[in-house]
Amino acid sequence: MRDEEYLFKEDVREKAITARSAKKRPRHSGCRLPQYTAKEMREMSGPTYTLNLKKRITYAEFKALPEGLQKSYVQNIVDKYRVGPSALAELMGANAGAVGVYLSKRGFSFKRGFQPTKDNLERFREDYGISTNAPTKKITLENFSFCFSGAFNAASFVKQIKAFVPEGQLLRVSVAVEVVEPEPSATEPATEESP
C-alpha cells in the first residue's frame, strides 16, 4: 500500500471515530424554558369555569358565568332545540320576561310571539329533566259545605261530593234540607182577602 493511500484511510478512520464519539456526548446547548412554581402558575392563570352544556343550571349560576360561556350555553340550546326565552326561563327557574331582556342585551334576538314546535319543546324538557306537571301541595280535607237552590237532583248531589272527596276516604255526612215555598212573582195578580 502506498503512503498516500495509507494516509487517506487513516484520516477516514479518525474522522469516523470522532463522529461516533460526538453522538454519544450529551448536548447542553439550546434554550431553557423557565420553570414556574405552582403558586406562580396560579397567579398567572385566571379563574377556571366548568360548564356542562347538557346540565340544567339556575338563573343565578347562569348570570355568574362569563359572558362567553353564557352565550355558548344559550346558543347550544337554541341551535339544538329551537326554543325561545320562555323555555330557557323554565329551564333556569326564572321569569320569562327577565330572561328575555337579559338575553337581548347579550345579543340574542327572538321573533315576537315565537313558539317552538311541540316536539322540540317535549324533547328539550325531557333532555333537561323539566317536569310539565307542577308539584301539587298535599292538602288534608277536614270539612266543606256547599249550598244550592232549585230543583233537587240526587245524582248531582252525589257527583258534587265525589268531586271534593278523594276515593276511599272515610266521611261523616250531615245533610240539612230546608224546603222553601216559591215566592209569588211580581207578574201574578195579588189576591185580596175579603173582611
Side-chain angles (χ1 to χ4, degrees):
M1 184 172 3
R2 294 183 317 192
D3 286 339
E4 296 91 24
E5 193 176 333
Y6 175 77
L7 288 174
F8 176 74
K9 289 185 178 178
E10 188 65 29
D11 186 43
V12 169
R13 189 174 67 78
E14 286 177 6
K15 287 181 179 177
I17 291 170
T18 307
R20 281 195 300 265
S21 64
K23 288 182 183 177
K24 294 179 185 177
R25 282 186 307 207
R27 294 183 182 182
H28 295 291
S29 62
C31 176
R32 286 189 168 214
L33 296 174
Q35 299 293 320
Y36 296 111
T37 63
K39 181 181 176 184
E40 290 172 330
M41 291 295 286
R42 280 193 302 273
E43 289 173 357
M44 287 190 296
S45 302
T48 58
Y49 297 94
T50 304
L51 179 63
N52 186 352
L53 296 176
K54 296 179 181 178
K55 185 183 170 205
R56 186 177 181 176
I57 62 172
T58 65
Y59 188 55
E61 292 171 340
F62 175 75
K63 287 178 75 174
L65 293 172
E67 191 172 327
L69 285 178
Q70 288 177 359
K71 285 183 178 180
S72 65
Y73 185 73
V74 171
Q75 193 64 48
N76 178 54
I77 292 172
V78 169
D79 290 345
K80 189 172 181 181
Y81 300 103
R82 303 277 185 230
V83 294
S86 58
L88 291 166
E90 185 181 2
L91 171 71
M92 296 177 201
N95 183 318
V99 171
V101 169
Y102 188 80
L103 292 177
S104 66
K105 288 180 181 177
R106 299 298 179 270
F108 289 97
S109 61
F110 299 97
K111 292 181 182 176
R112 188 173 183 89
F114 171 77
Q115 290 292 323
T117 63
K118 188 175 181 180
D119 294 338
N120 284 344
L121 194 57
E122 286 176 5
R123 192 167 48 93
F124 168 72
R125 287 178 174 154
E126 183 181 312
D127 287 353
Y128 283 95
I130 301 170
S131 174
T132 55
N133 300 335
T136 57
K137 275 186 167 179
K138 187 171 182 177
I139 58 170
T140 306
L141 181 66
E142 292 181 8
N143 56 38
F144 71 93
S145 65
F146 65 93
C147 172
F148 64 90
S149 63
F152 179 71
N153 183 347
S156 153
F157 179 73
V158 171
K159 188 177 179 182
Q160 289 288 334
I161 291 177
K162 279 187 172 181
F164 286 107
V165 180
E167 194 72 31
Q169 179 142 0
L170 298 176
L171 294 177
R172 179 179 301 145
V173 179
S174 301
V175 178
V177 178
E178 180 183 346
V179 178
V180 293
E181 291 293 323
E183 294 182 19
S185 65
T187 58
E188 292 180 13
T191 55
E192 293 184 23
E193 295 182 18
S194 58

Short mmCIF file of all heavy atoms in Angstrom, two decimals, residues 16 51 86 172 188:
data_model
loop_
_atom_site.label_atom_id
_atom_site.label_comp_id
_atom_site.label_asym_id
_atom_site.label_seq_id
_atom_site.Cartn_x
_atom_site.Cartn_y
_atom_site.Cartn_z
N ALA A 16 -14.19 9.01 11.42
CA ALA A 16 -15.31 8.15 11.82
C ALA A 16 -15.35 7.99 13.33
O ALA A 16 -16.43 8.04 13.95
CB ALA A 16 -15.20 6.80 11.13
N LEU A 51 -68.43 24.11 32.60
CA LEU A 51 -69.84 24.20 32.24
C LEU A 51 -70.22 22.98 31.41
O LEU A 51 -69.62 22.72 30.37
CB LEU A 51 -70.09 25.48 31.43
CG LEU A 51 -71.51 25.70 30.95
CD1 LEU A 51 -72.45 25.85 32.14
CD2 LEU A 51 -71.58 26.92 30.08
N SER A 86 -88.86 31.82 26.79
CA SER A 86 -89.76 31.27 27.81
C SER A 86 -89.31 29.87 28.23
O SER A 86 -89.35 29.52 29.41
CB SER A 86 -91.20 31.25 27.32
OG SER A 86 -91.31 30.48 26.14
N ARG A 172 -118.03 11.55 57.27
CA ARG A 172 -119.23 11.69 58.08
C ARG A 172 -120.02 12.78 57.39
O ARG A 172 -119.57 13.91 57.29
CB ARG A 172 -118.91 12.09 59.51
CG ARG A 172 -120.18 12.27 60.35
CD ARG A 172 -119.87 12.66 61.77
NE ARG A 172 -119.05 11.63 62.38
CZ ARG A 172 -118.08 11.86 63.27
NH1 ARG A 172 -117.83 13.09 63.66
NH2 ARG A 172 -117.38 10.89 63.78
N GLU A 188 -147.86 38.02 38.84
CA GLU A 188 -149.15 37.42 39.26
C GLU A 188 -149.96 38.47 40.02
O GLU A 188 -149.42 39.22 40.83
CB GLU A 188 -148.90 36.21 40.18
CG GLU A 188 -148.27 35.05 39.49
CD GLU A 188 -148.07 33.91 40.46
OE1 GLU A 188 -148.61 33.92 41.57
OE2 GLU A 188 -147.33 32.97 40.09
#
